[in-house]
Amino acid sequence: MSVALAERSRQADAPGPTPIPDGLIDALDTLQRPIVIGHVRPDADCFGSMFAAARSWPGKGRKVAHVALRAGSINRRLQFLFDWAAAPTATADDFQRADGFIVVDTAKHSRCNVDAALGEQWAGDRPIINIDHHASNTCFGRFDWIDAHAGSAAELVYRLIRAAGRPIDDVVASLLYAGIHSDTLGFSLPTTTASALEAAGDLVRCGARVAEIGERLCRSQSQAEFNLNRLIYGNTRVVADDRIAYSTANHDEITRTGCSAADVDDQVTIPRSIDSIKVAVLFTEGAPGKTRLNLRGERGVNVLDIALSLGGGGHRESAGAILDVGIDEAVKRVIPIITAALDAPVPKS
Amino acid sequence: MSVALAERSRQADAPGPTPIPDGLIDALDTLQRPIVIGHVRPDADCFGSMFAAARSWPGKGRKVAHVALRAGSINRRLQFLFDWAAAPTATADDFQRADGFIVVDTAKHSRCNVDAALGEQWAGDRPIINIDHHASNTCFGRFDWIDAHAGSAAELVYRLIRAAGRPIDDVVASLLYAGIHSDTLGFSLPTTTASALEAAGDLVRCGARVAEIGERLCRSQSQAEFNLNRLIYGNTRVVADDRIAYSTANHDEITRTGCSAADVDDQVTIPRSIDSIKVAVLFTEGAPGKTRLNLRGERGVNVLDIALSLGGGGHRESAGAILDVGIDEAVKRVIPIITAALDAPVPKS
């Protein structure tokens, strides 16, 4: 059954959204003691879709299903979503007693945010229901619904809830709005579809707390996060005839802001925001002598090849690598490589 | 007629959107040589709604109506909207020949972005059709449609176009999407309504260029703008037991970034983004010895009284003033006033 559903549901080239596979809603409805699972380092879409699913398919005699969250999984900035959801965190006993698992926004079994102490076989022969929007999903569930056309997993959970005729209260609406809004960068990415906007409109009618979500996700940061951004701004340099912008944060500097390596996330958007550039790089030394590179290519510049040549990986326009050197050495090594790549003749296609 | 329409259309306390007044679409349809007008210092919503109206009601024998734009009105960042619209700029002769004016997003007659050489009476006895979403609109038109429930003027123009049964091509869709997206801060402000999101969904189906708009409005800035942001970040201070965050840019510093006073816009969002604070202030010395204050209050803190006491004005949570002193003197004078206001006992209601 898994394979057939997977084949039906992975229509990455199909023109429109992938329909909900037959039997999926029944499978959700029959779970008595489900646990809802997302990916490691959960973001707003992961939390939004997890917690909305946990409230919509709570199992028997509960208001909210248990959710799997390893210790330290809740980013300070996203704590409010957890508070709104009021979902209990699953213990090892809850895992024992569970009769199925709802996994959202998670491309691989090994990325599930499940305590390592439970082992690789935490599901055993119990069903995994796998709901995701990553084209790279490995279809590890007994039921897999993978729609790579959706900008967010929260949009998929929204569609499921509507198709199942389940109610959407203001909490579920808020959780789903946060997920859809966040994964489309405020409806500004190429993944922004009409159906995502229409879903969001429906969620506003259901009471989604737009202003509070906007405030917490888009317009506030801790002093430590502010200090880190200030540092990245201050250290930004534009080189190679305005074609490369890069910034740096060495280990001492990161520590002094009050942040740790875990807080380095998407700050490459700071050098990336300069409109003349073709490549943006952020060099961060999370641990002494270990420098992480975040690369972004603009206007079709392929940074994946650069990342691969440095032992890293990623996508064509968004890639990364880790070098076993300090930050100054990393800059000295990498900037000439990028410059050479920009100077190289473009291969004829 | 103006008064009756104004009364009907200004239902600020009404629960839902204000309907399009009878006769408004007929009035638009009968214009043969209209000129479309917005407000001074036009923003993305102003341009989006102006240019979409100019393409939808072009008058007789044209594809796009003339638009009124005083010299220097086009902010570099928004130039692409003007390029997409391909709207001719109205000359004094065009004003002479016009048989009516469509004014969008403009609260007062005196704020119309019309060349001063044309005088106050540029409309004479010709009709002004006034379409706006500011509750403070003075209803200066022969036809006034003021809907303070709408988060953007572009949403009103969208509703007009749909009600009139006019086509929406990808250019009109893109212009309107830019306006709606921008004035709701990416659908994150309290003004974000379900109908705004549904309109945006419809516009995506009509071909709105979401990714390009997102890129140009949200994710790119000139090196000068980047330098200004870096300066504001670098100069941010948190004082008064973490309750006030302020930043400064004196005249020399602004000049050195490559920006001018006109580029100082919403940078108070930088100190404002620190989540512990109650008041954020930006001090900018656009001309030597003239310091502009931008004030923001958080969590219900009223900054309007502070602005009024300094000879300024604005709204409860967003206000400003201009002081005839340099920046150091302004900081020395204003921070104690704000601190005292925060320390004052809250009056019982």
Side-chain angles (χ1 to χ4, degrees), chain A residues 190-276:
Chain A
T191 52
T192 303
T193 58
S195 61
L197 285 154
E198 287 155 359
D202 187 19
L203 294 170
V204 169
R205 290 192 200 284
C206 295
R209 302 164 190 167
V210 174
E212 198 169 346
I213 293 164
E215 191 60 46
R216 288 172 180 272
L217 293 182
C218 314
R219 293 191 292 278
S220 78
Q221 50 192 335
S222 70
Q223 289 205 25
E225 290 161 341
F226 184 88
N227 293 342
L228 184 62
N229 280 348
R230 166 154 67 184
L231 177 74
I232 307 292
Y233 257 102
N235 285 353
T236 297
R237 303 280 176 273
V238 178
V239 296
D241 298 323
D242 297 349
R243 291 174 301 166
I244 304 174
Y246 73 90
S247 191
T248 58
N250 70 31
H251 185 252
D252 277 357
E253 287 172 324
I254 293 172
T255 307
R256 259 183 279 136
T257 62
C259 287
S260 70
D263 297 308
V264 175
D265 178 22
D266 208 28
Q267 290 87 351
V268 67
T269 53
I270 293 172
R272 188 189 166 291
S273 71
I274 298 175
D275 61 9
S276 66

Side-chain angles (χ1 to χ4, degrees), chain B residues 14 16 61 64 91 99 111 116 132 136 141 145 151 177 186 191 198 222 224 230 233 272 280 285 287 321 339-340:
Chain B
V64 192
T91 62
D99 62 347
R111 291 269 297 161
D132 190 22
S136 59
W145 180 32
Y177 193 90
T191 52
E198 287 154 0
S222 70
R230 166 153 67 183
Y233 258 102
R272 189 190 166 291
E285 193 184 20
T339 309

Side-chain angles (χ1 to χ4, degrees), chain B residues 8 50 53 86 97 109 123 136 146 160 163 165 169 173 203 303 329 349:
Chain B
R8 268 191 49 201
M50 274 177 74
R97 279 194 291 266
H109 189 282
S136 59
I146 316 305
L160 266 183
D169 65 12
L203 294 170
V303 290
E329 177 62 25
S349 57

Side-chain angles (χ1 to χ4, degrees), chain A residues 177 181 186 198 205 221 273, chain B residues 181 186-187 198 205 221 273:
Chain A
Y177 193 91
H181 189 275
E198 287 155 359
R205 290 192 200 284
Q221 50 192 335
S273 71
Chain B
H181 189 275
F187 303 102
E198 287 154 0
R205 290 192 200 284
Q221 51 192 334
S273 70

